[in-house]
Amino acid sequence: MSRIVNVDVGNKEKLCSICKALSVPARIDILKLIENKGLSISEISERLNIPQSSVTFHIKILEAADLISIEERPGMRGTLKLCTRKTDYINISAYQKNSDINEYRSYEMPIGAYYDFEVMPTCGIAGEQGIIGTEDKVSSFYLPERVKAGILWTAGGYVKYRFPNMLPSGGKAYKLMFTLEICSEAPNYHEDWKSDITFKVNGVEIGTWRSNGDYGSRRGRLNPKIWENGSTQYGVMLGIEINEKATLMNGKQYSDITVEKLLERESAYIEFEICNKPDATYVGGFNIFGKTYGDHPQDIVMGMEYRN
């Protein structure tokens, strides 16, 4: 994978360091020489026909600019310093990035791409071609085809997803957001079927949202023709926002959990769990809709606002 360095006029020290490193033809020659293979200082000196002391001087400046790296390896006469390319592309912006404007990234997770689950009948998963595996059989949730699911349902339990943690090193998150289409799960369907659905992020409970029913009195806008009437058809589009002050669901505060309490910068992922707690007032299961079922053409989306 290419390593790209981005620098703008707001970072004068780094910009000057890179420009200084590239201002001497001999240093350009060194970069060309180690383009595909690491070389020692003596090898560089021999091939460019310049003194080793000069090579050492140039190497220090290139290393300070983060353009090359030096690895120490055992050699015939002590330690050998191997010089290798560290940067492939340098992007220089002639304007300074506004640090007062938040960055935004998002990922869409297929509803069948869970990494852990506990389900119970009535349960199942289905794609555009119909039921995946066998309805009400837990082993179906392990099938590789699950990643193609457009709807997932269970009478209780949980499903867990892991999104990539895109917060840069040294960055600060201001909002963490999840959106998904969801409803209760009753046999066939039941418009008045309450379910207390709890959401957790990185193992922390952020709030419980009450679904009022399992909706099937009309067809879902996106449902494939193979999906029969008389079963769950669509859900409610739920937006979850965890900001610096509280956790909101569709604009209503559900807890005082803040984004700062949830994010672990060193973790490679952000875990998102959907569950029915066993002691909930209404354990009415849940349906999760993907981009090919229900009313909304999306899977589970996680977004983050942050600043570097």
Side-chain angles (χ1 to χ4, degrees):
M1 180 179 291
S2 298
R3 184 176 184 272
I4 303 172
V5 172
N6 296 302
V7 62
D8 59 50
V9 293
N11 192 336
K12 291 187 291 185
E13 184 177 340
K14 185 174 182 180
L15 183 57
C16 289
S17 176
I18 291 173
C19 291
K20 176 182 178 182
L22 299 176
S23 65
V24 176
R27 292 173 202 149
I28 304 295
D29 292 336
I30 292 173
L31 290 175
K32 289 167 64 178
L33 198 61
I34 63 173
E35 180 180 356
N36 297 310
K37 182 182 178 181
L39 296 173
S40 68
I41 290 177
S42 60
E43 288 173 321
I44 295 172
S45 173
E46 182 179 344
R47 296 192 186 191
L48 294 181
N49 194 27
I50 57 177
Q52 287 193 24
S53 58
S54 297
V55 173
T56 300
F57 172 75
H58 292 315
I59 289 295
K60 287 181 178 179
I61 293 175
L62 289 168
E63 185 184 24
D66 215 23
L67 300 181
I68 68 170
S69 59
I70 299 177
E71 300 177 19
E72 292 189 353
R73 295 184 181 179
M76 295 289 293
R77 300 177 181 178
T79 302
L80 180 70
K81 291 186 176 181
L82 196 67
C83 305
T84 58
R85 188 185 79 246
K86 188 175 182 180
T87 298
D88 301 300
Y89 300 96
I90 303 169
N91 294 328
I92 298 176
S93 298
Y95 67 92
Q96 183 175 352
K97 199 170 186 179
N98 191 337
S99 60
D100 294 329
I101 297 176
N102 291 353
E103 300 284 344
Y104 178 81
R105 291 187 188 177
S106 66
Y107 287 94
E108 187 169 6
M109 182 69 68
I111 64 167
Y114 44 81
Y115 87 94
D116 190 17
F117 68 91
E118 180 181 281
V119 296
M120 57 195 69
T122 51
C123 63
I125 47 178
E128 290 186 271
Q129 305 305 315
I131 300 294
I132 296 173
T134 304
E135 194 170 357
D136 291 340
K137 195 167 184 179
V138 175
S139 59
S140 296
F141 281 75
Y142 289 100
L143 291 170
E145 304 94 285
R146 70 182 187 270
V147 296
K148 298 179 181 179
I151 184 171
L152 176 157
W153 65 96
T154 176
Y158 62 83
V159 286
K160 297 180 181 180
Y161 301 88
R162 282 180 174 174
F163 290 83
N165 184 357
M166 69 280 284
L167 185 64
S169 177
K172 179 180 179 180
Y174 290 87
K175 287 182 184 178
L176 187 62
M177 295 156 282
F178 298 90
T179 56
L180 69 160
E181 186 176 351
I182 190 169
C183 71
S184 310
E185 164 53 24
N188 299 317
Y189 78 91
H190 200 303
E191 297 280 327
D192 184 15
W193 188 271
K194 293 182 175 60
S195 182
D196 292 330
I197 303 172
T198 297
F199 299 92
K200 298 179 183 179
V201 176
N202 289 342
V204 178
E205 185 176 322
I206 61 172
T208 298
W209 172 78
R210 178 164 294 173
S211 170
N212 289 319
D214 180 354
Y215 306 112
S217 60
R218 67 157 173 87
R219 283 193 66 80
R221 184 169 68 89
L222 303 171
N223 294 349
K225 292 181 179 179
I226 54 89
W227 192 248
E228 297 179 353
N229 296 331
S231 57
T232 304
Q233 295 292 321
Y234 65 96
V236 173
M237 195 65 180
L238 183 63
I240 302 171
E241 177 185 307
I242 308 108
N243 56 42
E244 294 181 284
K245 297 180 179 179
T247 294
L248 312 175
M249 295 187 192
N250 284 352
K252 179 182 177 182
Q253 183 171 335
Y254 272 73
S255 74
D256 59 359
I257 299 297
T258 63
V259 66
E260 189 175 4
K261 293 180 181 179
L262 297 177
L263 291 185
E264 300 176 29
R265 287 180 174 79
E266 302 305 318
S267 177
Y269 61 83
I270 295 172
E271 184 180 282
F272 182 59
E273 179 180 347
I274 305 165
C275 68
N276 274 147
K277 294 169 65 176
D279 59 349
T281 303
Y282 295 100
V283 182
F286 51 85
N287 279 269
I288 308 172
F289 299 82
K291 62 177 60 177
T292 57
Y293 276 74
D295 283 347
H296 302 275
Q298 70 161 70
D299 287 277
I300 303 173
V301 176
M302 183 191 80
M304 180 190 292
E305 283 188 24
Y306 67 93
R307 291 184 194 171
N308 290 325

